[in-house]
Short mmCIF file of all heavy atoms in Angstrom, two decimals:
data_model
loop_
_atom_site.label_atom_id
_atom_site.label_comp_id
_atom_site.label_asym_id
_atom_site.label_seq_id
_atom_site.Cartn_x
_atom_site.Cartn_y
_atom_site.Cartn_z
N ALA L 1 62.35 -65.14 26.89
CA ALA L 1 62.04 -63.87 26.21
C ALA L 1 62.78 -63.79 24.88
O ALA L 1 63.95 -64.12 24.80
CB ALA L 1 62.46 -62.70 27.10
N PRO L 2 62.07 -63.34 23.82
CA PRO L 2 62.74 -63.19 22.53
C PRO L 2 63.81 -62.10 22.60
O PRO L 2 63.66 -61.10 23.30
CB PRO L 2 61.63 -62.77 21.57
CG PRO L 2 60.35 -62.97 22.28
CD PRO L 2 60.65 -63.02 23.75
N ARG L 3 64.87 -62.31 21.90
CA ARG L 3 65.92 -61.30 21.78
C ARG L 3 65.72 -60.55 20.47
O ARG L 3 64.85 -60.88 19.69
CB ARG L 3 67.29 -61.96 21.82
CG ARG L 3 67.54 -62.66 23.13
CD ARG L 3 68.95 -63.15 23.22
NE ARG L 3 69.10 -63.87 24.48
CZ ARG L 3 69.98 -64.80 24.69
NH1 ARG L 3 70.83 -65.11 23.75
NH2 ARG L 3 70.04 -65.39 25.85
N HIS L 4 66.54 -59.57 20.22
CA HIS L 4 66.38 -58.78 19.00
C HIS L 4 66.70 -59.61 17.76
O HIS L 4 67.42 -60.60 17.84
CB HIS L 4 67.27 -57.53 19.06
CG HIS L 4 68.73 -57.83 19.01
ND1 HIS L 4 69.43 -58.31 20.08
CD2 HIS L 4 69.62 -57.72 17.99
CE1 HIS L 4 70.70 -58.50 19.74
NE2 HIS L 4 70.84 -58.15 18.48
N ALA L 5 66.15 -59.18 16.64
CA ALA L 5 66.35 -59.88 15.37
C ALA L 5 67.77 -59.64 14.87
O ALA L 5 68.30 -58.53 14.99
CB ALA L 5 65.34 -59.41 14.34
N LEU L 6 68.35 -60.66 14.33
CA LEU L 6 69.67 -60.58 13.73
C LEU L 6 69.54 -60.82 12.24
O LEU L 6 68.68 -61.58 11.80
CB LEU L 6 70.60 -61.63 14.35
CG LEU L 6 70.74 -61.63 15.86
CD1 LEU L 6 71.50 -62.87 16.30
CD2 LEU L 6 71.44 -60.37 16.31
N SER L 7 70.40 -60.21 11.46
CA SER L 7 70.41 -60.43 10.02
C SER L 7 71.65 -61.26 9.69
O SER L 7 72.71 -61.05 10.26
CB SER L 7 70.47 -59.09 9.29
OG SER L 7 70.46 -59.31 7.89
N ASP L 8 71.50 -62.20 8.75
CA ASP L 8 72.63 -63.02 8.35
C ASP L 8 72.57 -63.26 6.84
O ASP L 8 71.50 -63.15 6.23
CB ASP L 8 72.61 -64.36 9.09
CG ASP L 8 73.96 -65.06 9.10
OD1 ASP L 8 74.94 -64.52 8.54
OD2 ASP L 8 74.03 -66.17 9.64
N VAL L 9 73.69 -63.57 6.27
CA VAL L 9 73.79 -63.88 4.85
C VAL L 9 74.12 -65.37 4.74
O VAL L 9 75.04 -65.86 5.40
CB VAL L 9 74.89 -63.04 4.17
CG1 VAL L 9 75.01 -63.38 2.69
CG2 VAL L 9 74.60 -61.55 4.35
N VAL L 10 73.37 -66.08 3.91
CA VAL L 10 73.59 -67.51 3.72
C VAL L 10 73.71 -67.81 2.23
O VAL L 10 73.22 -67.06 1.39
CB VAL L 10 72.45 -68.36 4.32
CG1 VAL L 10 72.39 -68.20 5.84
CG2 VAL L 10 71.11 -67.99 3.71
N ILE L 11 74.39 -68.91 1.92
CA ILE L 11 74.53 -69.32 0.53
C ILE L 11 73.19 -69.83 0.01
O ILE L 11 72.43 -70.44 0.76
CB ILE L 11 75.65 -70.39 0.39
CG1 ILE L 11 76.03 -70.60 -1.06
CG2 ILE L 11 75.24 -71.70 1.02
CD1 ILE L 11 76.78 -69.47 -1.67
N ASP L 12 72.89 -69.56 -1.24
CA ASP L 12 71.67 -70.04 -1.87
C ASP L 12 72.02 -71.25 -2.72
O ASP L 12 72.91 -71.19 -3.57
CB ASP L 12 71.08 -68.94 -2.75
CG ASP L 12 69.87 -69.42 -3.53
OD1 ASP L 12 69.15 -70.31 -3.05
OD2 ASP L 12 69.64 -68.90 -4.64
N GLU L 13 71.34 -72.35 -2.49
CA GLU L 13 71.47 -73.52 -3.35
C GLU L 13 70.08 -73.94 -3.77
O GLU L 13 69.14 -73.89 -2.98
CB GLU L 13 72.20 -74.66 -2.64
CG GLU L 13 73.66 -74.35 -2.44
CD GLU L 13 74.52 -75.58 -2.19
OE1 GLU L 13 73.96 -76.65 -1.89
OE2 GLU L 13 75.74 -75.46 -2.29
N GLN L 14 69.97 -74.32 -5.02
CA GLN L 14 68.69 -74.72 -5.59
C GLN L 14 68.89 -76.02 -6.37
O GLN L 14 70.00 -76.31 -6.81
CB GLN L 14 68.18 -73.64 -6.55
CG GLN L 14 67.94 -72.31 -5.89
CD GLN L 14 67.50 -71.25 -6.90
OE1 GLN L 14 67.14 -71.55 -8.02
NE2 GLN L 14 67.54 -70.00 -6.47
N PRO L 15 67.82 -76.77 -6.57
CA PRO L 15 67.95 -77.95 -7.43
C PRO L 15 68.23 -77.52 -8.87
O PRO L 15 67.55 -76.65 -9.41
CB PRO L 15 66.61 -78.66 -7.31
CG PRO L 15 65.70 -77.73 -6.60
CD PRO L 15 66.50 -76.62 -6.01
N VAL L 16 69.25 -78.12 -9.45
CA VAL L 16 69.65 -77.82 -10.83
C VAL L 16 69.67 -79.14 -11.60
O VAL L 16 70.36 -80.08 -11.21
CB VAL L 16 71.03 -77.15 -10.87
CG1 VAL L 16 71.49 -76.94 -12.32
CG2 VAL L 16 71.01 -75.81 -10.13
N ALA L 17 68.89 -79.19 -12.67
CA ALA L 17 68.85 -80.38 -13.52
C ALA L 17 69.70 -80.13 -14.76
O ALA L 17 69.61 -79.07 -15.38
CB ALA L 17 67.42 -80.69 -13.93
N LEU L 18 70.51 -81.12 -15.12
CA LEU L 18 71.24 -81.08 -16.39
C LEU L 18 70.49 -81.98 -17.36
O LEU L 18 70.28 -83.17 -17.09
CB LEU L 18 72.68 -81.55 -16.21
CG LEU L 18 73.54 -80.71 -15.27
CD1 LEU L 18 74.96 -81.25 -15.22
CD2 LEU L 18 73.53 -79.24 -15.66
N VAL L 19 70.08 -81.38 -18.48
CA VAL L 19 69.23 -82.07 -19.45
C VAL L 19 69.95 -82.05 -20.80
O VAL L 19 70.32 -80.99 -21.30
CB VAL L 19 67.86 -81.37 -19.57
CG1 VAL L 19 66.97 -82.09 -20.57
CG2 VAL L 19 67.19 -81.29 -18.19
N TYR L 20 70.17 -83.24 -21.37
CA TYR L 20 70.90 -83.38 -22.64
C TYR L 20 69.92 -83.74 -23.75
O TYR L 20 69.27 -84.78 -23.69
CB TYR L 20 71.97 -84.47 -22.51
CG TYR L 20 73.04 -84.09 -21.53
CD1 TYR L 20 72.87 -84.30 -20.17
CD2 TYR L 20 74.21 -83.47 -21.96
CE1 TYR L 20 73.84 -83.93 -19.26
CE2 TYR L 20 75.19 -83.10 -21.05
CZ TYR L 20 74.99 -83.33 -19.71
OH TYR L 20 75.96 -82.95 -18.80
N ASN L 21 69.82 -82.85 -24.72
CA ASN L 21 68.91 -83.05 -25.86
C ASN L 21 67.53 -83.49 -25.39
O ASN L 21 66.92 -84.40 -25.95
CB ASN L 21 69.49 -84.06 -26.85
CG ASN L 21 70.74 -83.55 -27.54
OD1 ASN L 21 71.24 -82.48 -27.24
ND2 ASN L 21 71.27 -84.33 -28.46
N GLY L 22 67.05 -82.86 -24.32
CA GLY L 22 65.72 -83.12 -23.80
C GLY L 22 65.62 -84.29 -22.83
O GLY L 22 64.55 -84.55 -22.30
N LEU L 23 66.72 -84.98 -22.57
CA LEU L 23 66.72 -86.15 -21.68
C LEU L 23 67.43 -85.80 -20.38
O LEU L 23 68.63 -85.51 -20.39
CB LEU L 23 67.40 -87.33 -22.37
CG LEU L 23 67.34 -88.68 -21.69
CD1 LEU L 23 65.90 -89.14 -21.49
CD2 LEU L 23 68.10 -89.70 -22.51
N SER L 24 66.70 -85.82 -19.27
CA SER L 24 67.26 -85.45 -17.98
C SER L 24 68.30 -86.47 -17.55
O SER L 24 68.13 -87.68 -17.70
CB SER L 24 66.16 -85.35 -16.92
OG SER L 24 66.71 -84.92 -15.70
N HIS L 25 69.41 -85.97 -17.01
CA HIS L 25 70.50 -86.84 -16.59
C HIS L 25 70.75 -86.80 -15.09
O HIS L 25 70.93 -87.83 -14.48
CB HIS L 25 71.78 -86.46 -17.33
CG HIS L 25 72.97 -87.28 -16.95
ND1 HIS L 25 73.01 -88.65 -17.12
CD2 HIS L 25 74.15 -86.94 -16.39
CE1 HIS L 25 74.18 -89.11 -16.70
NE2 HIS L 25 74.88 -88.11 -16.24
N VAL L 26 70.76 -85.61 -14.52
CA VAL L 26 71.12 -85.50 -13.11
C VAL L 26 70.47 -84.26 -12.52
O VAL L 26 70.28 -83.26 -13.20
CB VAL L 26 72.66 -85.44 -12.93
CG1 VAL L 26 73.27 -84.23 -13.59
CG2 VAL L 26 73.06 -85.46 -11.46
N VAL L 27 70.12 -84.37 -11.26
CA VAL L 27 69.66 -83.22 -10.49
C VAL L 27 70.58 -83.12 -9.28
O VAL L 27 70.81 -84.11 -8.59
CB VAL L 27 68.20 -83.36 -10.03
CG1 VAL L 27 67.80 -82.18 -9.16
CG2 VAL L 27 67.28 -83.49 -11.23
N MET L 28 71.11 -81.94 -9.07
CA MET L 28 71.99 -81.72 -7.92
C MET L 28 71.70 -80.36 -7.32
O MET L 28 71.11 -79.50 -7.96
CB MET L 28 73.45 -81.84 -8.34
CG MET L 28 73.91 -80.78 -9.34
SD MET L 28 75.57 -81.04 -9.92
CE MET L 28 75.24 -82.02 -11.37
N MET L 29 72.10 -80.19 -6.09
CA MET L 29 71.98 -78.89 -5.45
C MET L 29 73.19 -78.05 -5.84
O MET L 29 74.33 -78.54 -5.77
CB MET L 29 71.90 -79.05 -3.94
CG MET L 29 70.66 -79.77 -3.46
SD MET L 29 69.12 -78.95 -3.94
CE MET L 29 69.18 -77.49 -2.92
N ALA L 30 72.93 -76.81 -6.25
CA ALA L 30 74.02 -75.94 -6.68
C ALA L 30 73.62 -74.49 -6.47
O ALA L 30 72.44 -74.15 -6.49
CB ALA L 30 74.36 -76.18 -8.15
N THR L 31 74.61 -73.65 -6.29
CA THR L 31 74.38 -72.21 -6.26
C THR L 31 74.03 -71.79 -7.69
O THR L 31 74.76 -72.13 -8.62
CB THR L 31 75.65 -71.49 -5.77
OG1 THR L 31 75.97 -71.99 -4.48
CG2 THR L 31 75.42 -69.99 -5.69
N PRO L 32 72.94 -71.07 -7.88
CA PRO L 32 72.47 -70.78 -9.24
C PRO L 32 73.25 -69.64 -9.92
O PRO L 32 72.69 -68.67 -10.39
CB PRO L 32 71.00 -70.41 -9.03
CG PRO L 32 70.96 -69.84 -7.66
CD PRO L 32 71.99 -70.61 -6.87
N LEU L 33 74.56 -69.79 -9.96
CA LEU L 33 75.44 -68.85 -10.65
C LEU L 33 76.32 -69.65 -11.60
O LEU L 33 76.68 -70.79 -11.32
CB LEU L 33 76.34 -68.12 -9.65
CG LEU L 33 75.65 -67.24 -8.62
CD1 LEU L 33 76.67 -66.71 -7.61
CD2 LEU L 33 74.94 -66.08 -9.31
N ASP L 34 76.68 -69.06 -12.71
CA ASP L 34 77.61 -69.68 -13.66
C ASP L 34 77.16 -71.08 -14.06
O ASP L 34 77.96 -72.01 -14.19
CB ASP L 34 79.03 -69.73 -13.08
CG ASP L 34 79.53 -68.35 -12.66
OD1 ASP L 34 79.33 -67.39 -13.43
OD2 ASP L 34 80.09 -68.23 -11.57
N LEU L 35 75.86 -71.25 -14.26
CA LEU L 35 75.33 -72.58 -14.54
C LEU L 35 75.73 -73.11 -15.91
O LEU L 35 75.82 -74.33 -16.10
CB LEU L 35 73.82 -72.59 -14.37
CG LEU L 35 73.36 -72.39 -12.91
CD1 LEU L 35 71.84 -72.33 -12.84
CD2 LEU L 35 73.91 -73.48 -12.01
N GLU L 36 76.00 -72.23 -16.86
CA GLU L 36 76.52 -72.69 -18.15
C GLU L 36 77.87 -73.36 -17.94
O GLU L 36 78.15 -74.42 -18.51
CB GLU L 36 76.65 -71.53 -19.14
CG GLU L 36 75.33 -70.91 -19.55
CD GLU L 36 74.89 -69.75 -18.63
OE1 GLU L 36 75.49 -69.56 -17.55
OE2 GLU L 36 73.93 -69.07 -19.00
N ASP L 37 78.71 -72.74 -17.11
CA ASP L 37 80.02 -73.32 -16.81
C ASP L 37 79.88 -74.64 -16.06
O ASP L 37 80.62 -75.59 -16.31
CB ASP L 37 80.87 -72.35 -15.97
CG ASP L 37 81.25 -71.10 -16.74
OD1 ASP L 37 81.29 -71.15 -17.98
OD2 ASP L 37 81.52 -70.07 -16.09
N LEU L 38 78.92 -74.71 -15.12
CA LEU L 38 78.67 -75.95 -14.40
C LEU L 38 78.28 -77.06 -15.38
O LEU L 38 78.80 -78.18 -15.33
CB LEU L 38 77.56 -75.77 -13.36
CG LEU L 38 77.09 -77.06 -12.68
CD1 LEU L 38 78.16 -77.62 -11.77
CD2 LEU L 38 75.81 -76.83 -11.92
N GLY L 39 77.35 -76.76 -16.29
CA GLY L 39 76.90 -77.76 -17.25
C GLY L 39 78.03 -78.25 -18.14
O GLY L 39 78.20 -79.46 -18.35
N LEU L 40 78.83 -77.33 -18.65
CA LEU L 40 79.93 -77.71 -19.53
C LEU L 40 81.00 -78.47 -18.74
O LEU L 40 81.47 -79.53 -19.18
CB LEU L 40 80.54 -76.48 -20.20
CG LEU L 40 81.75 -76.75 -21.08
CD1 LEU L 40 81.42 -77.74 -22.20
CD2 LEU L 40 82.29 -75.45 -21.65
N GLY L 41 81.37 -77.95 -17.58
CA GLY L 41 82.40 -78.62 -16.78
C GLY L 41 81.99 -80.01 -16.34
O GLY L 41 82.79 -80.95 -16.41
N PHE L 42 80.75 -80.17 -15.90
CA PHE L 42 80.24 -81.48 -15.52
C PHE L 42 80.28 -82.43 -16.71
O PHE L 42 80.72 -83.58 -16.61
CB PHE L 42 78.82 -81.35 -14.98
CG PHE L 42 78.20 -82.66 -14.56
CD1 PHE L 42 78.35 -83.10 -13.25
CD2 PHE L 42 77.49 -83.44 -15.45
CE1 PHE L 42 77.78 -84.31 -12.85
CE2 PHE L 42 76.93 -84.65 -15.06
CZ PHE L 42 77.07 -85.09 -13.75
#
């Protein structure tokens, strides 16, 4: 028998590509926040 529905919060990760002067370099899974900082830090 099904039980009641539960709600949960999960982290969101999406494919993020870093592209330099139009040339793709890397695709990684990342939380889509502070992506400018991710690009510069990487």
